[in-house]
Amino acid sequence: MAGVSTIETEKYSLLEDFSVDVEVDDEEYESFSLCFWVYLLNSTTFPSTIIRQVHSDMSVSAPFLVLDENKKMMLLPLTLLHKEAPDPVDTSSWTQVPSVSTKSKFPLQKWVHVGCEVSRNFMRLFIDGNIEGEQFVTSLLTKNTNPECPRKISLFSVGGDGYSVQGFIQCAQVLPASDHVEHHYMKDPPLLLSVNKSSSSGIKLDDDGVWQASCREIFSLDVVLSNAIGQPVHKDVEVVASLLYADTLVEAKMSEAEAPLLVRDEGVEFSSGDRPIKLLNGRSSFKLKISQLSSKSDNRLFWIKFGIRNAKDYPFLQAVSNPIRCISISPDVRPLSVTPKRLTNIDHLSSTESPDLLHNASSVKRIRLGKESVSGSEESYQQCNSRPQTSRQFENGNGMRLHEEDNSSTDSENSEMRYTISDSTIFRYCLGNIIDKSLLLKEITNNSSDDEVLEFANQVSLYSGCSHHSYQINMARELIAEGTNAWILISRNNQHVLWDNVVYEIEEHFMRISKCSSRSLTHQDFELLRRISGCYEYVTQVNFEKMWCWLFPVAYSISRGLINGMWRSSSPKWIEGFITKEEAEHSLQGQEPGTFILRFPISRIWPHPDAGSLVVTYVGHDFALHHKQLKIDNICESSERYMDAKPLQDMLLAEPELSRLGR
């Protein structure tokens, strides 16, 4: 069964069961290293002894590896080898002897690799393959040493002092001096199940770190199986999700008629306990729905626990989400039968308060970068939500705008969708999160004409106070059709396809949509696409759709107006390709003010209003790195409207903040 034969749980043992003997008079072990992986539970108290030492001439054991009161790990001298070894009778002596200590606190609830290298004249402590420190000591062994003296020492754990250290140990070995600690670190790392919280969708994060989910609304969490050094693990296992009360860790219960946690698989909802989800390439995306309100459970928070099916109850083979508060849908968010006449009386939708409802070209003759956001070091983008906002934007005679970026979120509670292009449908789109918007657009494009979709785009732009929504809505039909056809060609009715077989089809579609056959995608481009998709060796339809919803708007933008020429240009290379914010910042380190790079932000995926946009990352006059966003729809529309539109590169270089292209 999945989760039994593929996870070798016998490799893991309790820390209290650890014991090993070392013959220190053996030439091979005159210098040795004790290496192991350890996972300490939160119940560990400080100070505590992790490993003790004893030999035949000792009546009581002495500490060898300890955690001090500052939660730092300390390696102490060996009683059989070193004069400075702690007195086994005096329990406080280990604080007085020479030792090697970690530089920082030892982490709990995490796999950590520990290496203790011991020689006659020195000790070294390694953490995760890196040396933490070294201490020289005095050897007890000389040529005149009595041959009857004991030469075997036992290293063992009893769970700390008064059972104060609880945890697990894996791959414990005593290595001769010829073997390196670093090799043991890479040899067989233990496994770890985790929730990739950065990829969650359909759920909001409060300031106190609590997630907020709407009752009976679908949200998505990605679960990852990796080893302790962060590499994905390809195991044939199934993972089960369950809902717990966060304060007691007891499984939440409801009436027999309804499960507290539902999982959607292949379009059908199941009780989470009845439907384990198989990991593919070490990960899986769970589509979940909580059917129990916090308000009806004494305002208690929930946890979602993920565990490998039929595996032992090890904490590292389980993962939990952030605490979750399950709320009902706010009444003022539910769809209403509101007439356009009533809408004009709602203050926060008044067109007089939204100067960007209609495009109005100004007479400013050059691009102007907006004022800096509060957090200049963080990448943020202007986000459009249900309330109109006066975005700080500047438009030149060619209609080009650069927007100051901020961190607003489109996620909001939304009502149950009734797929009709009515006032309530428009409001549901304006108030919905990215997943809601994409599902609604798929339904609308399947059942509406082009004119109806265009009218829907105009109404959404009007009532949301953001014209950029229409750009994404108008490309929806083509994006969905192209993506569907592409996956049919790629998959050939297979549920998952080798990534190496996908890249050629992706490139062919990209070059056709972008209307640029002269520039191929690079290995770096494909690696970023793989990262966006969330796949490893194999691609599923879910992986492909994630990648496609980012790639198509980019290709669509490149195909239009002023962007196409910049993408084609190889000398200079105005657009580097698909790079991350971090890569752009790294390449600009140490550059002079005014140096800039153009990139497509990887965090904006269709139907986000900024999907396919360009970002300028540049070195400011204050030598700090800044990120400003160009709105592609404004640029392309203006180039079509003004016959004398300047090339985009000329407009950029006309800015006082931008002077030279970086690489």
Side-chain angles (χ1 to χ4, degrees):
M1 296 181 68
V4 175
S5 59
T6 57
I7 301 293
E8 301 170 7
T9 54
E10 65 274 6
K11 297 191 305 182
Y12 309 105
S13 58
L14 293 173
L15 179 60
E16 63 183 276
D17 295 333
F18 166 75
S19 179
V20 66
D21 294 333
V22 183
E23 296 280 354
V24 295
D25 63 343
D26 191 325
E27 290 185 3
E28 185 181 16
Y29 287 98
E30 192 174 71
S31 175
F32 69 90
S33 296
L34 171 64
C35 298
F36 56 90
W37 286 91
V38 64
Y39 184 99
L40 298 182
L41 301 181
N42 278 332
S43 57
T44 299
T45 59
F46 306 91
S48 291
T49 304
I50 299 177
I51 295 178
R52 305 189 70 85
Q53 55 179 314
V54 70
H55 58 77
S56 58
D57 281 357
M58 296 172 63
S59 58
V60 294
S61 61
F64 175 67
L65 194 65
V66 302
L67 293 172
D68 67 13
E69 65 276 4
N70 296 317
K71 302 183 181 181
K72 295 183 179 181
M73 178 172 282
M74 295 174 59
L75 174 63
L76 304 178
L78 205 64
T79 55
L80 203 58
L81 285 182
H82 307 133
K83 289 183 179 180
E84 297 86 351
D87 184 349
V89 178
D90 184 0
T91 57
S92 63
S93 65
W94 64 269
T95 61
Q96 312 297 327
V97 301
S99 62
V100 185
S101 176
T102 56
K103 300 178 180 66
S104 57
K105 294 179 180 179
F106 195 84
L108 304 179
Q109 298 288 129
K110 177 183 178 182
W111 279 114
V112 180
H113 186 269
V114 178
C116 306
E117 185 178 354
V118 180
S119 176
R120 294 188 180 192
N121 302 308
F122 66 85
M123 305 180 302
R124 293 182 182 134
L125 179 61
F126 294 79
I127 298 295
D128 288 338
N130 300 312
I131 187 168
E132 285 284 308
E134 181 180 51
Q135 177 67 51
F136 291 96
V137 287
T138 307
S139 174
L140 284 174
L141 299 183
T142 65
K143 293 182 179 180
N144 299 323
T145 301
N146 186 350
E148 299 298 325
C149 290
R151 290 292 176 265
K152 183 171 76 172
I153 190 165
S154 296
L155 303 175
F156 64 96
S157 175
V158 292
D161 310 308
Y163 204 59
S164 60
V165 178
Q166 300 180 48
F168 298 87
I169 194 167
Q170 189 251 3
C171 200
Q173 284 184 291
V174 176
L175 306 176
S178 56
D179 288 359
H180 296 287
V181 173
E182 296 88 341
H183 294 165
H184 186 274
Y185 169 66
M186 299 295 297
K187 182 180 178 181
D188 186 22
L191 301 184
L192 182 70
L193 190 71
S194 61
V195 177
N196 184 0
K197 298 175 181 177
S198 63
S199 65
S200 62
S201 60
I203 200 164
K204 294 175 65 176
L205 179 64
D206 290 344
D207 294 337
D208 56 0
V210 174
W211 281 347
Q212 184 171 291
S214 295
C215 187
R216 295 183 175 85
E217 292 288 331
I218 288 290
F219 59 92
S220 176
L221 293 177
D222 285 0
V223 176
V224 180
L225 181 65
S226 60
N227 61 26
I229 59 178
Q231 298 170 329
V233 175
H234 299 231
K235 293 285 187 181
D236 183 22
V237 299
E238 293 177 331
V239 175
V240 180
S242 57
L243 189 69
L244 309 180
Y245 292 116
D247 54 348
T248 62
L249 302 185
V250 175
E251 190 166 346
K253 299 292 184 182
M254 288 186 68
S255 64
E256 295 181 359
E258 187 174 24
L261 183 66
L262 302 174
V263 60
R264 177 178 290 180
D265 188 25
E266 298 180 353
V268 182
E269 291 183 358
F270 303 87
S271 171
S272 61
D274 298 335
R275 193 69 171 187
I277 303 298
K278 191 172 183 178
L279 297 185
L280 184 63
N281 299 326
R283 69 187 300 137
S284 183
S285 182
F286 278 73
K287 309 298 182 185
L288 300 165
K289 180 188 291 186
I290 300 175
S291 58
Q292 185 166 345
L293 287 168
S294 292
S295 60
K296 293 187 178 180
S297 303
D298 299 325
N299 290 321
R300 299 164 79 179
L301 301 179
F302 299 109
W303 264 347
I304 296 178
K305 185 182 79 171
F306 300 91
I308 295 177
R309 188 185 186 192
N310 297 322
K312 290 187 178 180
D313 197 24
Y314 290 134
F316 44 87
L317 295 181
Q318 300 174 352
V320 295
S321 67
N322 282 27
I324 299 175
R325 180 179 293 107
C326 187
I327 63 172
S328 61
I329 302 174
S330 178
D332 59 356
V333 180
R334 295 187 181 276
L336 301 173
S337 298
V338 184
T339 64
K341 183 176 180 180
R342 288 280 304 278
L343 291 176
T344 59
N345 295 326
I346 301 176
D347 290 340
H348 68 270
L349 291 177
S350 171
S351 60
T352 60
E353 295 181 16
S354 305
D356 288 333
L357 293 180
L358 299 175
H359 180 72
N360 180 27
S362 72
S363 59
V364 182
K365 296 301 181 183
R366 63 175 180 85
I367 308 169
R368 292 173 57 195
L369 293 174
K371 297 180 181 179
E372 287 302 320
S373 58
V374 175
S375 178
S377 62
E378 294 291 330
E379 179 177 22
S380 55
Y381 304 90
Q382 180 174 346
Q383 176 96 0
C384 306
N385 57 24
S386 60
R387 289 178 293 275
Q389 53 185 337
T390 305
S391 57
R392 284 174 285 190
Q393 57 184 341
F394 302 86
E395 182 178 344
N396 70 341
N398 299 314
M400 176 181 172
R401 298 176 180 175
L402 274 91
H403 289 241
E404 181 179 0
E405 303 168 41
D406 59 62
N407 284 318
S408 304
S409 172
T410 57
D411 291 350
S412 59
E413 300 169 30
N414 56 89
S415 56
E416 183 183 6
M417 296 179 179
R418 294 179 301 139
Y419 294 106
T420 58
I421 305 184
S422 61
D423 292 337
S424 61
T425 303
I426 295 169
F427 276 103
R428 282 198 296 274
Y429 187 90
C430 294
L431 297 170
N433 58 32
I434 292 298
I435 295 177
D436 300 328
K437 285 180 169 65
S438 63
L439 293 174
L440 185 54
L441 283 177
K442 290 176 183 178
E443 187 69 22
I444 289 175
T445 54
N446 284 337
N447 297 282
S448 306
S449 66
D450 289 342
D451 289 340
E452 289 172 327
V453 173
L454 179 60
E455 177 61 21
F456 175 72
N458 293 335
Q459 292 299 310
V460 168
S461 297
L462 175 66
Y463 294 137
S464 68
C466 175
S467 62
H468 309 126
H469 282 293
S470 62
Y471 183 67
Q472 307 298 327
I473 295 172
N474 288 328
M475 77 167 68
R477 193 187 302 277
E478 187 177 354
L479 179 147
I480 295 169
E482 290 276 4
T484 301
N485 294 334
W487 176 248
I488 291 173
L489 290 173
I490 290 170
S491 66
R492 303 183 187 278
N493 294 324
N494 294 309
Q495 290 188 346
H496 40 270
V497 187
L498 275 171
W499 171 258
D500 293 339
N501 297 336
V502 173
V503 294
Y504 303 106
E505 293 286 350
I506 292 175
E507 182 172 58
E508 181 179 330
H509 282 81
F510 174 81
M511 294 173 72
R512 177 176 53 80
I513 295 167
S514 64
K515 300 178 182 178
C516 182
S517 59
S518 61
R519 179 172 176 177
S520 302
L521 296 179
T522 65
H523 175 73
Q524 174 182 279
D525 296 333
F526 283 120
E527 283 303 305
L528 185 59
L529 291 177
R530 187 207 293 257
R531 172 178 167 184
I532 292 171
S533 73
C535 75
Y536 294 97
E537 186 178 356
Y538 289 92
V539 184
T540 66
Q541 185 174 356
V542 172
N543 299 137
F544 176 80
E545 288 179 355
K546 286 182 180 178
M547 180 274 300
W548 187 256
C549 287
W550 183 86
L551 182 64
F552 185 90
V554 170
Y556 195 77
S557 296
I558 292 173
S559 71
R560 299 181 62 194
L562 305 176
I563 309 297
N564 193 264
M566 296 185 71
W567 178 259
R568 291 173 180 270
S569 176
S570 58
S571 181
K573 200 171 187 178
W574 285 98
I575 303 176
E576 277 296 314
F578 304 158
I579 61 173
T580 65
K581 168 196 170 187
E582 291 74 21
E583 290 169 337
E585 290 180 337
H586 179 74
S587 66
L588 291 175
Q589 292 292 337
Q591 298 293 319
E592 63 184 55
T595 307
F596 67 94
I597 287 176
L598 293 174
R599 60 184 177 85
F600 296 101
I602 66 173
S603 59
R604 292 308 185 238
I605 296 178
W606 180 89
H608 190 283
D610 297 333
S613 60
L614 269 175
V615 166
V616 184
T617 299
Y618 66 96
V619 183
H621 295 303
D622 56 357
F623 290 92
L625 295 175
H626 305 270
H627 308 273
K628 294 294 174 66
Q629 182 172 300
L630 286 74
K631 291 297 182 181
I632 299 299
D633 50 344
N634 298 130
I635 297 172
C636 297
E637 289 173 3
S638 64
S639 66
E640 297 166 358
R641 190 164 60 247
Y642 298 98
M643 298 300 295
D644 59 345
K646 293 181 180 179
L648 178 58
Q649 50 266 45
D650 291 349
M651 288 190 258
L652 290 169
L653 291 174
E655 286 303 301
E657 292 92 342
L658 309 178
S659 58
R660 60 187 293 268
L661 182 66
R663 291 300 302 274

